[in-house]
Amino acid sequence: MKSYRLFRHSLRQVTGNFSAAVRLSIPYVIFAVLGQLIVTAHIDNGSEGGRYLQNIVSMSALIFGLALAVNWHRHILLEEPAVATQWMGRRVWAYFLRSTQMFLVMLLLAAPLLIWSYFAIYAWDNYDPEELSVWDYLYLPAAAVMGLFLLVCWTRLSVMLPAAALGRGIGVREVWRHTGRASWAILGLWLLSAVFFFLILMAVGMVIGLTPSHYVGVTFFLSLALDWFLTIFGISVLTTLYGHYIEGRPLV
């Protein structure tokens, strides 16, 4: 099953290169931890200086998150050394621009759903059984289907991101053509991933629930570790999709 093979390859990519993933994540994790500490400690406290500090930390986390993605793609696909201090400024900027392009394309695709949602919510807020049409009752299932469709579209477009990290100009048309037959495999991949991480979340929740309340550090560490693993796994999914559908690499 292609979905399972994509999922397995993405997971093995993380577990098989775990030390490299940790090294490349150091700058991103530092600023992510600082951001969490600022929110937890309420350092901003409504002051202008506190908000300014939080904005700086958040922007730094975003930049180093993009740098993590770029370096991970290049480490896996080009076998470059996993050096956290290696700064690929032009590639990070290209990655950001491609992400912005994806956002705009997805906004256009989602526009019909957003418009329909507005009118459907308005109809339900002004509930009158005699005025609701069959389309109003079909809103929730139709929105779920549309949401899955948008998820698949977003994933297919995301294959442009590893290309940007590698310095290869692959645009919307080309990536759409290469992933033309991948829609069901991508949908299955995300469903498998959702089940997998739901089980992990349940396990982490049980551990946190059994941890005494004064062990705040344990809860903080487990939450941070889960967020990090979700991040690096998501980046690995994009790396896997690019390697398989664009470069024709086998799924092992």
Side-chain angles (χ1 to χ4, degrees), residues 120-133 136-137:
I121 293 173
Y122 177 81
W124 281 105
D125 286 342
N126 299 271
Y127 179 73
D128 185 347
E130 297 181 358
E131 294 183 3
L132 290 176
S133 68
D136 296 318
Y137 288 104

Side-chain angles (χ1 to χ4, degrees), residues 6-16 196 229 233 236:
L6 288 169
F7 171 78
R8 182 184 62 184
H9 187 90
S10 301
L11 188 60
R12 284 180 174 178
Q13 193 176 113
V14 179
T15 57
F196 176 71
F229 191 75
F233 176 79
S236 296

Side-chain angles (χ1 to χ4, degrees), residues 1-8 10 148 151-153 155-156 178-194 233 237 240-241 244-245 251:
M1 184 179 180
K2 178 64 72 70
S3 299
Y4 172 72
R5 289 163 58 203
L6 288 169
F7 171 78
R8 182 184 62 184
S10 301
L148 293 175
L151 174 63
V152 171
C153 290
T155 307
R156 290 176 61 183
H178 280 286
T179 59
R181 298 183 178 180
S183 296
W184 287 109
I186 289 172
L187 181 59
L189 164 66
W190 287 125
L191 290 176
L192 284 172
S193 301
F233 176 79
V237 166
T240 296
L241 293 173
H244 182 64
Y245 288 106
L251 298 172

Side-chain angles (χ1 to χ4, degrees), residues 171-221:
V172 174
R173 289 185 179 181
E174 187 172 356
V175 80
W176 203 255
R177 176 170 56 85
H178 280 286
T179 59
R181 298 183 178 180
S183 296
W184 287 109
I186 289 172
L187 181 59
L189 164 66
W190 287 125
L191 290 176
L192 284 172
S193 301
V195 172
F196 176 71
F197 281 104
F198 174 77
L199 295 176
I200 291 181
L201 186 62
M202 291 290 291
V204 171
M206 290 178 61
V207 173
I208 292 176
L210 296 174
T211 303
S213 58
H214 57 277
Y215 287 112
V216 180
V218 175
T219 302
F220 182 82
F221 173 78

Side-chain angles (χ1 to χ4, degrees), residues 138-153:
L138 291 176
Y139 167 70
L140 289 179
V145 173
M146 189 65 176
L148 293 175
F149 168 75
L150 292 175
L151 174 63
V152 171
C153 290

